[in-house]
Amino acid sequence: MPSPEIDALTQALARLPGYGPRSARRAVLHLVKRRETALAPLIAALHAVDERLATCTTCGNVDTTDPCGICADPRRDARALCVVEEVADLWALDRSRLFPGRFHVLGGRLSALDGVRPEDLSVDRLVQRVSGGEIDEVVLALNATLEGQTTAHYVAERLERHPVRITQLAHGLPVGGELDYLDEGTLAQALRARRPVA
Ligand SMILES: [Zn+2]
């Protein structure tokens, strides 16, 4: 039987996404066997993040500075803004390094089922940023779900009166996707978004 302290560590790890009791036990064993090379750096990293953790008041990103690293980066294209539902979406898009501009996290999507209303999302803040006049294009990178698309329509409506180009991610064939494996929704979107053969 492990001690209460080791048990508490295992349970805390087991609650993390992607972890279960078995992988948590393996991680704990790894940490206690490598106190200097694994446990100590982990503790230091957790401490450093915990001490400085902040939500960016401009875009809603989670970082250790406010404004976050992306908002503060002068090399970013200030004229392009990409709107996402969650911080996870921002991180995923930023990892791809395909978008040169900055981001705006709504903090969710409109949902009658979950009781998420427009005032629960940071749409007012988005309108405020856009009315600053520096932004030319707003890319709506919301999920291709019914709720994501309802939210996209709502955001587009709110931005209607502002002189910005509003674009949306194309929803189409995934790279390497084979037609007969696709669901009908994806296939229908791909067909609707068809373009001339170059
Ligand atoms: Zn930011």
Side-chain angles (χ1 to χ4, degrees):
M1 278 294 281
S3 72
E5 292 83 0
I6 288 178
D7 198 41
L9 177 59
T10 311
Q11 285 189 30
L13 286 177
R15 283 194 291 270
L16 296 178
Y19 271 78
R22 189 158 178 264
S23 44
R25 276 195 301 274
R26 287 178 59 195
V28 168
L29 197 62
H30 178 87
L31 290 169
V32 296
K33 279 165 78 178
R34 295 168 182 80
R35 190 173 179 177
E36 291 308 316
T37 55
L39 185 60
L42 178 65
I43 292 170
L46 287 171
H47 253 301
V49 169
D50 183 45
E51 247 169 42
R52 304 178 54 193
L53 198 59
T55 298
C56 178
T57 47
T58 302
C59 75
N61 189 16
V62 176
D63 206 343
T64 51
T65 53
D66 178 18
C68 71
I70 294 174
C71 285
D73 185 351
R75 290 165 303 179
R76 294 276 176 163
D77 183 356
R79 290 164 306 169
L81 192 66
C82 181
V83 178
V84 294
E85 291 178 19
E86 305 284 356
V87 172
D89 305 326
L90 188 164
W91 288 15
L93 276 163
D94 198 52
R95 261 200 316 275
S96 76
R97 296 179 182 279
L98 293 171
F99 185 69
R102 298 203 170 98
F103 293 91
H104 190 88
V105 181
L106 290 175
R109 77 225 69 166
L110 294 176
S111 166
L113 204 64
D114 300 328
V116 181
R117 299 153 305 165
E119 55 266 40
D120 298 320
L121 307 177
S122 67
V123 183
D124 286 347
R125 179 86 195 97
L126 172 66
V127 174
Q128 216 176 70
R129 287 182 80 180
V130 169
S131 56
E134 216 184 308
I135 294 160
D136 290 339
E137 181 182 5
V138 174
V139 184
L140 300 175
L142 305 181
N143 288 323
T145 58
L146 187 62
E147 290 173 344
Q149 293 312 296
T150 305
T151 310
H153 277 128
Y154 174 76
V155 171
E157 246 176 54
R158 289 285 308 271
L159 294 174
E160 225 170 38
R161 288 178 294 111
H162 298 274
V164 284
R165 197 152 56 93
I166 300 170
T167 56
Q168 195 167 14
L169 289 189
H171 303 297
L173 301 182
V175 174
E178 293 181 43
L179 289 192
D180 57 349
Y181 286 103
L182 294 178
D183 64 280
E184 275 174 39
T186 305
L187 208 49
Q189 270 289 0
L191 197 57
R192 273 202 294 273
R194 68 186 183 277
R195 55 208 158 85
V197 177

